[in-house]
Amino acid sequence: MEKKTARLTLLIDPQKKQAFEQLCALQDLTPSQVVRQLIRDYLHKHGVEYETQMTQDGNNTSG
């Protein structure tokens, strides 16, 4: 996980939010984990490169 984080606020209708949270729970994932993966996939799909941070153990957090 990234060392530093920034907040992203978005608006979504309550029914979609509930369905999303239920699906995440069924998959043993948090909504934040899923959204972060969606963003990584979207950036990769569009060829956008970004600088990554290193964790304390020296592992790259990109991807």
Side-chain angles (χ1 to χ4, degrees), residues 32-49:
S32 290
Q33 289 172 311
V34 175
V35 170
R36 284 191 296 269
Q37 185 62 53
L38 289 168
I39 291 171
R40 284 191 298 268
D41 292 348
Y42 187 76
L43 291 170
H44 179 75
K45 174 183 174 182
H46 292 281
V48 176
E49 294 186 18

Side-chain angles (χ1 to χ4, degrees), residues 42-59:
Y42 187 76
L43 291 170
H44 179 75
K45 174 183 174 182
H46 292 281
V48 176
E49 294 186 18
Y50 55 96
E51 193 169 324
T52 59
Q53 298 175 358
M54 301 297 275
T55 60
Q56 286 183 340
D57 62 5
N59 289 327

